[in-house]
Amino acid sequence: MLITIAVLAIAALALTTQFGAVLVKRAYPPQGRMIEVAGARLHVVELGPRDAAGPPVVMLHGASSNLRVMQHPLGERLAKTRRVILIDRPGHGWSSRDRVEDSTPAVQSRMIMEALTGLDVDRAIVVAHSWAGALGLRMALDDPDRVAGLVLLAPVAYPWRGRVGRYNELIAMPLIGPLLAHTITLPLGTLVTTSGARGVFAPQTMPDDFVESSATQLLLRPREFIANAHDLVTLKAAVTAQAPHYPEITVPVSIISGDADKTVSTAIHSRPLAATAPHARLIVLPGVGHMVQHAAPDLVLSEIAAMADRIVQPTTGTDRTAPANL
């Protein structure tokens, strides 16, 4: 009897998850077009004039999110004067990847560069948030001729103490991970999505419409939740391997972080990176948490503009630190 009840409960949760995933996909359909690359199918949204002066701006989102996190409030404002390319990272949003194991910045860098080739983009400014900070750094290491500059927002760059959450580790495990993702993740996640997003914004207040406007619930679909978990559990080893090469980065780098960030420590990541990358500029915002693009969008946009100017007139020295300005 207990086994029968358990089987029925699992079946009911699986059906609930399947139905819920259908509703989420209908609520947040793709906004752009799909580009086939080796090992993935990437969802890309292009904004702004294609013939705008200067290199296009490629915007990359972090973990547990999708391109809409970069579209609002940055992408649409930036597109008034520049060509902007927003990409759902492989396995996230409406992008898929053939192998869930293709979770590292090195692999995703190759996929994104291939997509940019398909878009006839030879060189771009890369704006990357959080997890994607490691991805942007990987792109600059692997393809320095194609990355004109980096603007990193609360980036992950170095290994850290601790783990990435026991539930993510469980989801990344064979058998048990897919079982959990296809049964309890969506129902449970629906209950905690808003509170979890508030925690990422803290100490700032999350915009009332953020969960809706950012299509955060796309994360709760089984395939994306599994991909996200693999991205997180393999990240520490990836940055451990690439961090010793940061002195080799030749492109200008602007780093914007908050000193109240409890998600990605500025002391562990941004400050050491600014002291290591040869042409780095660091801005630390007092009292600001992880979502710096929401806390100080005007400042971020001005740094992107300044990056474009630095590319036109390359720096002759090292610019390690800039004063915070809110």
Side-chain angles (χ1 to χ4, degrees):
M1 180 63 72
L2 291 176
I3 294 175
T4 300
I5 292 173
V7 170
L8 290 174
I10 291 172
L13 287 169
L15 288 173
T16 299
T17 295
Q18 185 175 10
F19 180 67
V22 170
L23 293 180
V24 169
K25 287 190 288 186
R26 288 180 179 176
Y28 307 106
Q31 300 175 306
R33 61 169 166 144
M34 303 297 179
I35 296 181
E36 300 283 347
V37 300
R41 189 166 184 255
L42 301 186
H43 176 228
V44 177
V45 172
E46 292 191 74
L47 303 174
R50 289 181 63 90
D51 59 351
V57 178
V58 175
M59 312 197 85
L60 302 173
H61 64 87
S64 307
S65 62
N66 59 77
L67 63 79
R68 295 196 192 195
V69 170
M70 303 301 286
Q71 184 173 352
H72 309 288
L74 297 180
E76 291 184 344
R77 290 179 59 184
L78 192 62
K80 294 177 181 179
T81 58
R82 300 184 185 277
R83 182 185 180 190
V84 177
I85 300 169
L86 301 123
I87 303 176
D88 277 332
R89 288 196 296 103
H92 295 260
W94 282 97
S95 291
S96 62
R97 66 191 193 216
D98 296 345
R99 296 176 356 110
V100 70
E101 294 83 5
D102 287 340
S103 57
T104 63
V107 175
Q108 295 189 30
S109 170
R110 175 187 55 76
M111 293 176 174
I112 289 170
M113 283 302 188
E114 185 177 344
L116 294 178
T117 299
L119 293 168
D120 296 322
V121 175
D122 296 325
R123 198 163 177 255
I125 295 172
V126 176
V127 180
H129 178 237
S130 193
W131 191 102
L135 173 57
L137 291 164
R138 185 79 245 178
M139 293 167 69
L141 288 168
D142 291 344
D143 293 280
D145 292 337
R146 301 190 61 189
V147 176
L150 293 176
V151 178
L152 304 179
L153 312 177
V156 175
Y158 293 91
W160 62 95
R161 291 184 179 180
R163 303 160 78 168
V164 293
R166 181 59 179 161
Y167 195 69
N168 286 311
E169 293 171 348
L170 287 172
I171 292 294
M173 293 175 61
L175 299 178
I176 188 172
L179 175 63
L180 293 173
H182 285 85
T183 54
I184 68 171
T185 293
L186 191 147
L188 180 62
T190 300
L191 298 176
V192 301
T193 294
T194 299
S195 61
R198 286 199 186 103
V200 176
F201 271 85
Q204 278 68 54
T205 301
M206 181 184 76
D208 291 338
D209 65 343
F210 175 77
V211 172
E212 179 70 20
S213 66
S214 64
T216 297
Q217 289 188 323
L218 287 173
L219 169 67
L220 302 179
R221 295 169 300 163
R223 71 157 182 85
E224 181 170 351
F225 203 87
I226 292 171
N228 187 66
H230 278 267
D231 286 1
L232 289 169
V233 300
T234 58
L235 181 58
K236 184 186 290 189
V239 293
T240 299
Q242 72 182 40
H245 298 283
Y246 294 156
E248 303 168 16
I249 293 176
T250 58
V251 305
V253 181
S254 290
I255 308 163
I256 308 174
S257 299
D259 67 1
D261 190 341
K262 302 300 183 185
T263 302
V264 177
S265 168
T266 296
I268 293 174
H269 300 275
S270 294
R271 291 192 184 278
L273 178 61
T276 302
H279 304 292
R281 167 184 171 87
L282 173 63
I283 299 176
V284 178
L285 305 177
V288 170
H290 191 56
M291 299 297 282
V292 294
Q293 64 267 48
H294 281 269
D298 292 341
L299 175 63
V300 174
L301 292 171
S302 70
E303 278 300 299
I304 296 171
M307 175 65 67
D309 291 341
R310 292 175 76 187
I311 292 165
V312 174
Q313 298 176 340
T315 181
T316 57
T318 301
D319 187 359
R320 295 290 183 192
T321 306
N325 181 21
L326 280 174

